Short mmCIF file of all heavy atoms in Angstrom, two decimals:
data_model
loop_
_atom_site.label_atom_id
_atom_site.label_comp_id
_atom_site.label_asym_id
_atom_site.label_seq_id
_atom_site.Cartn_x
_atom_site.Cartn_y
_atom_site.Cartn_z
N ILE A 1 58.66 103.64 81.86
CA ILE A 1 57.53 102.76 82.14
C ILE A 1 57.88 101.75 83.23
O ILE A 1 57.02 101.36 84.03
CB ILE A 1 57.01 102.06 80.86
CG1 ILE A 1 55.60 101.54 81.11
CG2 ILE A 1 57.93 100.94 80.43
CD1 ILE A 1 54.85 101.16 79.86
N ALA A 2 59.14 101.36 83.32
CA ALA A 2 59.56 100.43 84.38
C ALA A 2 59.42 101.09 85.76
O ALA A 2 59.06 100.43 86.74
CB ALA A 2 61.00 99.99 84.15
N GLY A 3 59.67 102.38 85.82
CA GLY A 3 59.60 103.09 87.10
C GLY A 3 58.26 103.70 87.40
O GLY A 3 57.93 103.98 88.55
N CYS A 4 57.47 103.92 86.36
CA CYS A 4 56.19 104.60 86.56
C CYS A 4 55.21 104.11 85.48
O CYS A 4 55.05 104.75 84.44
CB CYS A 4 56.39 106.11 86.47
SG CYS A 4 54.91 107.06 86.82
N PRO A 5 54.54 102.99 85.72
CA PRO A 5 53.68 102.39 84.69
C PRO A 5 52.32 103.08 84.54
O PRO A 5 51.37 102.46 84.05
CB PRO A 5 53.53 100.94 85.18
CG PRO A 5 53.69 101.02 86.65
CD PRO A 5 54.66 102.15 86.90
N GLU A 6 52.21 104.35 84.90
CA GLU A 6 50.94 105.07 84.77
C GLU A 6 50.57 105.32 83.31
O GLU A 6 49.41 105.54 82.99
CB GLU A 6 51.01 106.39 85.53
CG GLU A 6 51.17 106.20 87.02
CD GLU A 6 51.44 107.52 87.74
OE1 GLU A 6 51.51 108.57 87.10
OE2 GLU A 6 51.59 107.46 88.96
N MET A 7 51.59 105.34 82.44
CA MET A 7 51.34 105.53 81.01
C MET A 7 51.84 104.30 80.27
O MET A 7 52.68 103.56 80.78
CB MET A 7 52.08 106.79 80.50
CG MET A 7 51.52 108.07 81.06
SD MET A 7 52.22 109.66 80.49
CE MET A 7 53.51 109.35 79.38
N THR A 8 51.36 104.12 79.06
CA THR A 8 51.81 103.00 78.24
C THR A 8 53.13 103.38 77.56
O THR A 8 53.50 104.56 77.51
CB THR A 8 50.78 102.65 77.14
OG1 THR A 8 50.72 103.75 76.22
CG2 THR A 8 49.42 102.35 77.73
N MET A 9 53.80 102.38 77.02
CA MET A 9 55.03 102.61 76.27
C MET A 9 54.77 103.58 75.12
O MET A 9 55.53 104.52 74.89
CB MET A 9 55.56 101.27 75.74
CG MET A 9 56.79 101.39 74.91
SD MET A 9 58.21 101.74 75.94
CE MET A 9 59.50 101.36 74.80
N GLU A 10 53.66 103.40 74.41
CA GLU A 10 53.31 104.27 73.28
C GLU A 10 53.09 105.71 73.74
O GLU A 10 53.45 106.65 73.05
CB GLU A 10 52.08 103.73 72.55
CG GLU A 10 52.29 102.44 71.81
CD GLU A 10 52.34 101.21 72.73
OE1 GLU A 10 51.83 101.26 73.87
OE2 GLU A 10 52.92 100.19 72.30
N GLN A 11 52.47 105.87 74.90
CA GLN A 11 52.24 107.22 75.43
C GLN A 11 53.55 107.91 75.79
O GLN A 11 53.73 109.08 75.51
CB GLN A 11 51.31 107.17 76.64
CG GLN A 11 49.87 106.85 76.29
CD GLN A 11 49.02 106.61 77.53
OE1 GLN A 11 49.45 105.97 78.49
NE2 GLN A 11 47.79 107.12 77.49
N TYR A 12 54.47 107.17 76.42
CA TYR A 12 55.77 107.74 76.74
C TYR A 12 56.52 108.13 75.46
O TYR A 12 57.09 109.21 75.36
CB TYR A 12 56.63 106.77 77.56
CG TYR A 12 56.37 106.83 79.05
CD1 TYR A 12 55.82 105.74 79.71
CD2 TYR A 12 56.69 107.96 79.80
CE1 TYR A 12 55.58 105.77 81.07
CE2 TYR A 12 56.45 108.00 81.16
CZ TYR A 12 55.90 106.91 81.79
OH TYR A 12 55.67 106.96 83.14
N ILE A 13 56.50 107.25 74.48
CA ILE A 13 57.19 107.54 73.21
C ILE A 13 56.58 108.78 72.56
O ILE A 13 57.30 109.67 72.10
CB ILE A 13 57.15 106.32 72.26
CG1 ILE A 13 58.08 105.23 72.79
CG2 ILE A 13 57.53 106.72 70.84
CD1 ILE A 13 58.01 103.92 72.03
N ALA A 14 55.26 108.86 72.53
CA ALA A 14 54.59 110.03 71.94
C ALA A 14 54.95 111.30 72.71
O ALA A 14 55.22 112.33 72.09
CB ALA A 14 53.08 109.82 71.93
N GLU A 15 54.96 111.23 74.03
CA GLU A 15 55.28 112.40 74.85
C GLU A 15 56.71 112.87 74.62
O GLU A 15 56.97 114.05 74.42
CB GLU A 15 55.06 112.09 76.33
CG GLU A 15 55.45 113.21 77.27
CD GLU A 15 54.62 114.47 77.12
OE1 GLU A 15 53.48 114.40 76.63
OE2 GLU A 15 55.12 115.55 77.48
N TYR A 16 57.67 111.96 74.66
CA TYR A 16 59.08 112.33 74.49
C TYR A 16 59.35 112.82 73.07
O TYR A 16 60.11 113.76 72.86
CB TYR A 16 59.99 111.17 74.85
CG TYR A 16 59.93 110.77 76.31
CD1 TYR A 16 60.26 109.49 76.72
CD2 TYR A 16 59.53 111.68 77.29
CE1 TYR A 16 60.20 109.12 78.05
CE2 TYR A 16 59.46 111.31 78.62
CZ TYR A 16 59.80 110.04 79.00
OH TYR A 16 59.75 109.67 80.32
N THR A 17 58.72 112.19 72.08
CA THR A 17 58.89 112.64 70.70
C THR A 17 58.34 114.07 70.55
O THR A 17 58.99 114.93 69.95
CB THR A 17 58.16 111.69 69.72
OG1 THR A 17 58.70 110.38 69.87
CG2 THR A 17 58.32 112.16 68.29
N SER A 18 57.18 114.31 71.12
CA SER A 18 56.59 115.65 71.08
C SER A 18 57.50 116.68 71.74
O SER A 18 57.72 117.76 71.21
CB SER A 18 55.22 115.63 71.76
OG SER A 18 54.70 116.93 71.86
N GLN A 19 58.06 116.33 72.89
CA GLN A 19 58.95 117.27 73.59
C GLN A 19 60.16 117.61 72.73
O GLN A 19 60.56 118.77 72.63
CB GLN A 19 59.40 116.68 74.93
CG GLN A 19 58.32 116.66 75.97
CD GLN A 19 58.78 116.00 77.26
OE1 GLN A 19 59.95 115.71 77.44
NE2 GLN A 19 57.83 115.74 78.14
N ILE A 20 60.74 116.61 72.11
CA ILE A 20 61.93 116.86 71.29
C ILE A 20 61.57 117.67 70.05
O ILE A 20 62.28 118.62 69.71
CB ILE A 20 62.63 115.53 70.94
CG1 ILE A 20 63.30 115.01 72.21
CG2 ILE A 20 63.64 115.71 69.81
CD1 ILE A 20 63.87 113.63 72.13
N LEU A 21 60.46 117.36 69.40
CA LEU A 21 60.06 118.13 68.23
C LEU A 21 59.70 119.57 68.58
O LEU A 21 59.82 120.47 67.76
CB LEU A 21 58.90 117.45 67.51
CG LEU A 21 59.24 116.13 66.82
CD1 LEU A 21 57.98 115.49 66.26
CD2 LEU A 21 60.28 116.33 65.74
N GLU A 22 59.26 119.81 69.81
CA GLU A 22 58.88 121.15 70.24
C GLU A 22 60.01 121.87 70.98
O GLU A 22 59.79 122.93 71.57
CB GLU A 22 57.64 121.08 71.14
CG GLU A 22 56.40 120.58 70.44
CD GLU A 22 55.90 121.55 69.38
OE1 GLU A 22 56.04 122.76 69.56
OE2 GLU A 22 55.38 121.07 68.36
N ASN A 23 61.22 121.31 70.95
CA ASN A 23 62.37 121.91 71.66
C ASN A 23 62.10 122.09 73.15
O ASN A 23 62.55 123.05 73.76
CB ASN A 23 62.77 123.24 71.03
CG ASN A 23 63.34 123.08 69.65
OD1 ASN A 23 63.90 122.05 69.33
ND2 ASN A 23 63.19 124.09 68.82
N ASP A 24 61.40 121.16 73.74
CA ASP A 24 61.08 121.20 75.17
C ASP A 24 61.63 119.93 75.82
O ASP A 24 60.90 119.13 76.37
CB ASP A 24 59.56 121.30 75.35
CG ASP A 24 59.15 121.39 76.81
OD1 ASP A 24 59.98 121.82 77.64
OD2 ASP A 24 58.01 121.02 77.12
N TYR A 25 62.95 119.76 75.70
CA TYR A 25 63.55 118.48 76.05
C TYR A 25 64.54 118.55 77.19
O TYR A 25 65.20 117.56 77.49
CB TYR A 25 64.24 117.88 74.84
CG TYR A 25 64.86 118.89 73.91
CD1 TYR A 25 65.87 119.74 74.35
CD2 TYR A 25 64.43 119.02 72.61
CE1 TYR A 25 66.43 120.68 73.50
CE2 TYR A 25 64.98 119.95 71.76
CZ TYR A 25 65.99 120.77 72.20
OH TYR A 25 66.53 121.70 71.37
N TYR A 26 64.67 119.65 77.85
CA TYR A 26 65.64 119.79 78.94
C TYR A 26 65.45 118.70 80.00
O TYR A 26 66.39 118.00 80.37
CB TYR A 26 65.53 121.18 79.57
CG TYR A 26 66.40 121.36 80.79
CD1 TYR A 26 67.75 121.62 80.67
CD2 TYR A 26 65.87 121.26 82.08
CE1 TYR A 26 68.56 121.79 81.78
CE2 TYR A 26 66.67 121.42 83.19
CZ TYR A 26 68.01 121.68 83.04
OH TYR A 26 68.80 121.83 84.14
N GLY A 27 64.23 118.53 80.48
CA GLY A 27 63.96 117.57 81.55
C GLY A 27 64.21 116.14 81.13
O GLY A 27 64.88 115.38 81.84
N VAL A 28 63.68 115.73 79.98
CA VAL A 28 63.81 114.34 79.56
C VAL A 28 65.26 114.00 79.25
O VAL A 28 65.74 112.92 79.60
CB VAL A 28 62.87 113.99 78.38
CG1 VAL A 28 63.27 114.69 77.11
CG2 VAL A 28 62.82 112.49 78.17
N VAL A 29 66.00 114.90 78.62
CA VAL A 29 67.40 114.62 78.30
C VAL A 29 68.22 114.49 79.58
O VAL A 29 69.01 113.55 79.73
CB VAL A 29 67.99 115.71 77.37
CG1 VAL A 29 69.50 115.60 77.27
CG2 VAL A 29 67.35 115.62 75.99
N ASN A 30 68.04 115.41 80.50
CA ASN A 30 68.82 115.35 81.74
C ASN A 30 68.42 114.17 82.61
O ASN A 30 69.27 113.54 83.24
CB ASN A 30 68.73 116.67 82.49
CG ASN A 30 69.63 117.70 81.86
OD1 ASN A 30 70.85 117.58 81.91
ND2 ASN A 30 69.04 118.71 81.23
N TRP A 31 67.13 113.83 82.65
CA TRP A 31 66.70 112.66 83.42
C TRP A 31 67.31 111.40 82.83
O TRP A 31 67.83 110.55 83.54
CB TRP A 31 65.17 112.59 83.45
CG TRP A 31 64.67 111.41 84.22
CD1 TRP A 31 64.55 111.30 85.57
CD2 TRP A 31 64.23 110.16 83.67
NE1 TRP A 31 64.06 110.05 85.90
CE2 TRP A 31 63.85 109.34 84.75
CE3 TRP A 31 64.11 109.66 82.38
CZ2 TRP A 31 63.36 108.06 84.58
CZ3 TRP A 31 63.62 108.37 82.21
CH2 TRP A 31 63.26 107.59 83.30
N ALA A 32 67.24 111.27 81.50
CA ALA A 32 67.79 110.08 80.83
C ALA A 32 69.30 109.99 81.07
O ALA A 32 69.82 108.91 81.37
CB ALA A 32 67.49 110.14 79.33
N ASN A 33 70.00 111.10 80.96
CA ASN A 33 71.44 111.10 81.21
C ASN A 33 71.74 110.68 82.64
O ASN A 33 72.64 109.88 82.90
CB ASN A 33 72.02 112.49 80.91
CG ASN A 33 73.52 112.53 81.11
OD1 ASN A 33 74.25 111.84 80.40
ND2 ASN A 33 73.96 113.33 82.05
N TRP A 34 70.97 111.20 83.58
CA TRP A 34 71.13 110.87 84.99
C TRP A 34 70.91 109.38 85.23
O TRP A 34 71.58 108.75 86.05
CB TRP A 34 70.16 111.72 85.81
CG TRP A 34 70.18 111.49 87.28
CD1 TRP A 34 71.23 111.64 88.13
CD2 TRP A 34 69.07 111.08 88.09
NE1 TRP A 34 70.85 111.36 89.42
CE2 TRP A 34 69.52 111.01 89.43
CE3 TRP A 34 67.74 110.78 87.82
CZ2 TRP A 34 68.69 110.63 90.48
CZ3 TRP A 34 66.92 110.41 88.86
CH2 TRP A 34 67.40 110.35 90.18
N LYS A 35 69.99 108.80 84.46
CA LYS A 35 69.68 107.37 84.59
C LYS A 35 70.65 106.49 83.78
O LYS A 35 70.51 105.28 83.76
CB LYS A 35 68.25 107.08 84.13
CG LYS A 35 67.20 107.66 85.05
CD LYS A 35 67.19 106.93 86.36
CE LYS A 35 66.00 107.31 87.20
NZ LYS A 35 65.91 106.54 88.43
N GLY A 36 71.60 107.11 83.09
CA GLY A 36 72.62 106.35 82.37
C GLY A 36 72.30 106.00 80.94
O GLY A 36 72.99 105.18 80.33
N ILE A 37 71.30 106.62 80.37
CA ILE A 37 70.95 106.38 78.96
C ILE A 37 71.84 107.25 78.08
O ILE A 37 72.03 108.44 78.35
CB ILE A 37 69.46 106.67 78.70
CG1 ILE A 37 68.60 105.69 79.51
CG2 ILE A 37 69.13 106.60 77.22
CD1 ILE A 37 67.12 105.98 79.46
N GLN A 38 72.39 106.66 77.03
CA GLN A 38 73.25 107.40 76.10
C GLN A 38 72.41 108.46 75.37
O GLN A 38 71.44 108.14 74.71
CB GLN A 38 73.88 106.44 75.08
CG GLN A 38 74.76 107.11 74.06
CD GLN A 38 76.02 107.68 74.67
OE1 GLN A 38 76.62 107.10 75.55
NE2 GLN A 38 76.42 108.84 74.20
N VAL A 39 72.81 109.72 75.51
CA VAL A 39 72.11 110.84 74.87
C VAL A 39 72.73 111.07 73.50
O VAL A 39 73.96 111.15 73.38
CB VAL A 39 72.21 112.12 75.74
CG1 VAL A 39 71.58 113.30 75.03
CG2 VAL A 39 71.58 111.89 77.10
N PRO A 40 71.93 111.17 72.43
CA PRO A 40 72.49 111.40 71.10
C PRO A 40 73.24 112.73 71.05
O PRO A 40 72.91 113.67 71.76
CB PRO A 40 71.28 111.41 70.17
CG PRO A 40 70.08 111.43 71.02
CD PRO A 40 70.47 111.10 72.41
N GLU A 41 74.25 112.77 70.21
CA GLU A 41 75.12 113.94 70.10
C GLU A 41 74.32 115.22 69.83
O GLU A 41 74.64 116.28 70.37
CB GLU A 41 76.15 113.72 68.99
CG GLU A 41 77.21 114.79 68.93
CD GLU A 41 78.28 114.46 67.92
OE1 GLU A 41 78.75 113.31 67.90
OE2 GLU A 41 78.64 115.37 67.16
N GLU A 42 73.27 115.13 69.03
CA GLU A 42 72.50 116.32 68.69
C GLU A 42 71.77 116.92 69.90
O GLU A 42 71.36 118.07 69.87
CB GLU A 42 71.50 116.02 67.58
CG GLU A 42 70.41 115.05 67.98
CD GLU A 42 69.55 114.60 66.82
OE1 GLU A 42 69.96 113.66 66.13
OE2 GLU A 42 68.49 115.20 66.61
N LEU A 43 71.61 116.14 70.97
CA LEU A 43 70.95 116.63 72.18
C LEU A 43 71.92 116.74 73.37
O LEU A 43 71.54 117.25 74.42
CB LEU A 43 69.79 115.71 72.57
CG LEU A 43 68.67 115.56 71.56
CD1 LEU A 43 67.67 114.51 72.02
CD2 LEU A 43 67.98 116.88 71.31
N ALA A 44 73.15 116.29 73.20
CA ALA A 44 74.10 116.22 74.32
C ALA A 44 74.44 117.59 74.89
O ALA A 44 74.76 117.70 76.07
CB ALA A 44 75.36 115.48 73.89
N TRP A 45 74.36 118.64 74.10
CA TRP A 45 74.70 119.98 74.59
C TRP A 45 73.75 120.42 75.70
O TRP A 45 74.07 121.31 76.48
CB TRP A 45 74.70 121.00 73.45
CG TRP A 45 73.34 121.20 72.84
CD1 TRP A 45 72.79 120.51 71.81
CD2 TRP A 45 72.37 122.16 73.25
NE1 TRP A 45 71.53 120.97 71.56
CE2 TRP A 45 71.25 121.99 72.43
CE3 TRP A 45 72.35 123.14 74.23
CZ2 TRP A 45 70.11 122.77 72.56
CZ3 TRP A 45 71.20 123.92 74.35
CH2 TRP A 45 70.10 123.72 73.52
N ILE A 46 72.59 119.79 75.80
CA ILE A 46 71.58 120.17 76.79
C ILE A 46 71.94 119.66 78.18
O ILE A 46 71.47 120.18 79.18
CB ILE A 46 70.20 119.62 76.35
CG1 ILE A 46 69.80 120.18 75.01
CG2 ILE A 46 69.14 119.88 77.39
CD1 ILE A 46 68.75 119.39 74.30
N ILE A 47 72.79 118.66 78.25
CA ILE A 47 73.09 118.00 79.51
C ILE A 47 73.62 119.00 80.53
O ILE A 47 74.57 119.74 80.28
CB ILE A 47 74.07 116.84 79.33
CG1 ILE A 47 73.45 115.75 78.46
CG2 ILE A 47 74.54 116.28 80.68
CD1 ILE A 47 74.40 114.64 78.06
#
């Protein structure tokens, strides 16, 4: 949201939660890792 305020915080949370629950998390995990966010161990294998 800091970089792209087109969506609300709630919308981003809903989108990322949906991606993780649907096993469609490659992009968000790698983007977050690239931006320096600590990736949880259960998703770290995707990096």
